[in-house]
Amino acid sequence: MVFWVFGYGSLVWNPGFEYDEKVIGFIKDYRRVFDLACIDHRGTPEDPARTCTLEHIEGAVCWGAAYCVRGRPEKERAAMQYLERRECEYDQKTLVDFFKETDPLRPALSGVIVFTSTPDKVSNKYYLGPAPLEEMACFSIKIFRQIATAVGPCGNNRDYLFSLEKAMFDIGHEDDLVIELANEVRKVLGTMAKEKKLVGSPLKPLKSQTQPQIPTVQLHLLPPEAVAMDL
């Protein structure tokens, strides 16, 4: 018994389950997008994080890592149960062909499992839909930055994004959308840091309070008999 699963988000750098083989490659006709809400790992129901899912687009390519689990049935069952708990926001398991860079025309593997989400806000409560970069980096209702500030039991949203950016760099296939979004979030964090510094700065003392004090000289009149007369 054996199964393969394709990771394109946090599974790329943190699979979290026992596997027998890892292969870098890509799947076709899908692209990575940040359209899925995460309320139990990197966010909360009140302040959901944005994590990536796949959007079906003809001719697109999505790079990532395929993991093989083979051996005892209980080993496969344990890995799949772990994945289903972890990927609970994804409501579909899709079977895809997996390609290697050395042969981009012929599939290296077929029937590879990939967790995807239905792009429908009615049937899929976790689907947020597409949004411009400036909206994704800003939680408009509370004027907080969504990706920059969302935090959940497994960490914050921005570290998820930055870790994905690094993971794609490490495997030699950077994603322009990930890079662009990461740069936008860095700008937001820089602005927030400046605002925090301004709010927390102590009051600057007045100039008169910082200058050295000149001692005051008091003059006293001498009595007449103490005044020397030059006759």
Side-chain angles (χ1 to χ4, degrees), residues 3-216:
F3 75 80
W4 287 83
V5 61
F6 179 72
Y8 55 91
S10 60
L11 289 178
V12 178
W13 77 88
N14 180 31
F17 61 94
E18 184 182 355
Y19 63 90
D20 298 282
E21 188 178 352
K22 176 181 179 179
V23 182
I24 303 301
F26 62 92
I27 61 175
K28 295 183 178 181
D29 299 329
Y30 288 95
R31 73 169 184 173
R32 185 184 290 105
V33 291
F34 283 76
D35 292 350
L36 196 69
C38 178
I39 63 173
D40 57 357
H41 287 80
R42 300 281 181 167
T44 64
E46 296 76 24
D47 294 308
R50 268 193 183 260
T51 53
C52 59
T53 183
L54 293 178
E55 182 180 24
H56 186 272
I57 294 185
E58 200 72 28
V61 166
C62 180
W63 284 89
Y67 297 91
C68 175
V69 179
R70 64 169 65 94
R72 306 180 310 276
E74 57 269 24
K75 178 182 176 181
E76 292 186 29
R77 186 165 52 251
M80 184 54 66
Q81 288 175 348
Y82 168 81
L83 286 166
E84 288 175 344
R85 287 194 305 270
R86 173 170 167 170
E87 310 298 312
C88 60
E89 282 95 359
Y90 300 85
D91 61 343
Q92 292 182 336
K93 293 190 193 79
T94 305
L95 299 181
V96 297
D97 290 333
F98 176 82
F99 298 82
K100 293 182 181 179
E101 189 170 18
T102 53
D103 191 351
L105 299 179
R106 184 174 56 185
L109 299 165
S110 295
V112 177
I113 300 169
V114 59
F115 287 83
T116 59
S117 57
T118 305
D120 182 1
K121 295 181 180 180
V122 176
S123 62
N124 182 3
K125 64 180 181 179
Y126 298 110
Y127 181 70
L128 297 175
L133 283 175
E134 62 271 16
E135 290 184 15
M136 282 200 286
C138 176
F139 193 59
S140 57
I141 298 176
K142 298 182 179 179
I143 319 178
F144 290 145
R145 276 38 176 175
Q146 185 176 0
I147 292 178
T149 61
V151 179
C154 296
N156 59 55
N157 200 177
R158 62 180 178 271
D159 283 349
Y160 170 92
L161 173 62
F162 297 151
S163 295
L164 178 58
E165 180 187 36
K166 181 180 183 302
M168 299 310 297
F169 173 82
D170 290 343
I171 68 173
H173 295 282
E174 294 178 281
D175 187 314
D176 286 343
L177 174 64
V178 174
I179 294 173
E180 189 174 0
L181 182 55
N183 286 337
E184 290 296 321
V185 171
R186 290 188 182 98
K187 292 178 185 177
V188 170
L189 292 171
T191 301
M192 290 171 60
K194 290 178 182 178
E195 292 172 352
K196 184 177 180 180
K197 185 176 180 180
L198 288 173
V199 171
S201 298
L203 295 176
K204 184 176 180 180
L206 298 175
K207 183 177 179 180
S208 60
Q209 295 175 327
T210 60
Q211 290 181 336
Q213 298 295 320
I214 300 175
T216 302

